[in-house]
């Protein structure tokens, strides 16, 4: 379990009840995989370690993003170059330039280029394959690849060589995790619902307006003891300063 504190300190622990161990300071983001930890510092330096107390290994500099999946470490440099390696002490392999975002899962890699093209490959030395264009986001989980297109259409496929299947339209945000149930809100009234073994379907899921939300919150309000005590004290001071200004109610 890891947590990045507001002051840039990264802490981690083994299990939910283990003691917190301070890992590093001045951390911009971090990635966890198995026992390994990789951190991107605010100065663009990437460091990694194999467990909570192992020595830090300086991996690279001028980084904008860090990825860690299994034993595979990836770094997106500030100039848009993606590099990757197998093992924290392995050799870096330059994968591609002009990269806006990347995703790592097992032996597969997926990238979103700055021009909206999605490319994938298997293995660090595999051949890049163009999957689609005009994309704004790329997703990769196991053997499942997804892309959110510029027009809000979400497409996905099983296997890098599989066929694209349209999942939903007017999508703002999506997430992939195996075959788990997913609800993708397409607008303010409808959502796309999918679950293992069931066909995807649109369901009515309207957003509640602000009046309904406030009503629900007010329904749960209990007496505010602290507020009552504060107001009573203020009223007492007011009466003490101007006894005739407050009319007592018997």
């Amino acid at each position: 379990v890891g947590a990045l504190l507001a002051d840039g300190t990264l802490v981690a622990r083994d299990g939910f009840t283990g003691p917190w161990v301070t890992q590093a300071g001045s951390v911009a983001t971090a990635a966890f995989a198995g026992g390994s930890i990789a951190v991107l510092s605010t100065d663009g330096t990437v460091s990694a370690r194999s467990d909570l107390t192992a020595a830090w290994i300086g991996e690279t500099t001028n980084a904008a993003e860090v990825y860690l999946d299994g034993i595979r470490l990836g770094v997106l440099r500030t100039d848009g170059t993606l590099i990757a390696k197998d093992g924290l002490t392995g050799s870096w392999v330059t994968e591609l330039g002009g990269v806006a975002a990347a995703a790592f899962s097992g032996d597969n890699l997926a990238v979103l280029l700055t021009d909206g093209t999605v490319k994938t490959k298997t293995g660090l030395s595999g051949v890049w394959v163009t999957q689609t264009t005009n994309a704004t986001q790329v997703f990769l989980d196991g053997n499942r690849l997804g892309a959110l297109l510029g027009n809000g259409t979400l497409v996905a496929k099983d296997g890098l060589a599989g066929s694209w299947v349209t999942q939903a339209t007017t999508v703002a945000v999506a997430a992939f995790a195996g075959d788990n149930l997913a609800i993708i809100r397409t607008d303010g009234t409808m959502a796309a619902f999918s679950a293992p073994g069931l066909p995807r379907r649109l369901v009515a899921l309207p957003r509640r307006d602000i009046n309904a939300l406030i009503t629900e919150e007010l329904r749960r309000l209990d007496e505010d003891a602290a507020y009552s005590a504060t107001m009573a004290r203020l009223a007492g001071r007011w009466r003490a300063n101007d006894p005739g200004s407050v009319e007592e109610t018997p």
Side-chain angles (χ1 to χ4, degrees), residues 222-235:
D222 297 322
E223 180 182 354
D224 192 331
Y227 179 78
S228 298
T230 300
M231 295 306 296
R233 186 163 184 172
L234 288 174

Side-chain angles (χ1 to χ4, degrees), residues 130-182:
T130 298
Q131 296 287 352
T132 191
T133 58
N134 191 34
T136 60
Q137 294 182 50
V138 64
F139 311 90
L140 185 63
D141 184 76
N143 202 39
R144 179 161 294 169
L145 176 67
L148 180 58
L149 305 184
N151 62 1
T153 299
L154 180 69
V155 295
K157 61 164 67 178
D158 282 333
L160 303 185
S163 299
W164 287 111
V165 179
T166 298
Q167 300 298 308
T169 57
T170 61
V171 175
V173 178
F176 285 66
D179 284 328
N180 292 329
L181 177 149

Side-chain angles (χ1 to χ4, degrees), residues 82 95-96 109-111 119-121 126-130:
L82 181 68
E95 295 297 337
L96 203 60
L109 290 77
V111 296
K119 291 178 176 284
T120 60
K121 69 186 302 188
V127 177
W128 286 105
V129 177
T130 298

Side-chain angles (χ1 to χ4, degrees), residues 7-8 31 197:
D7 65 357

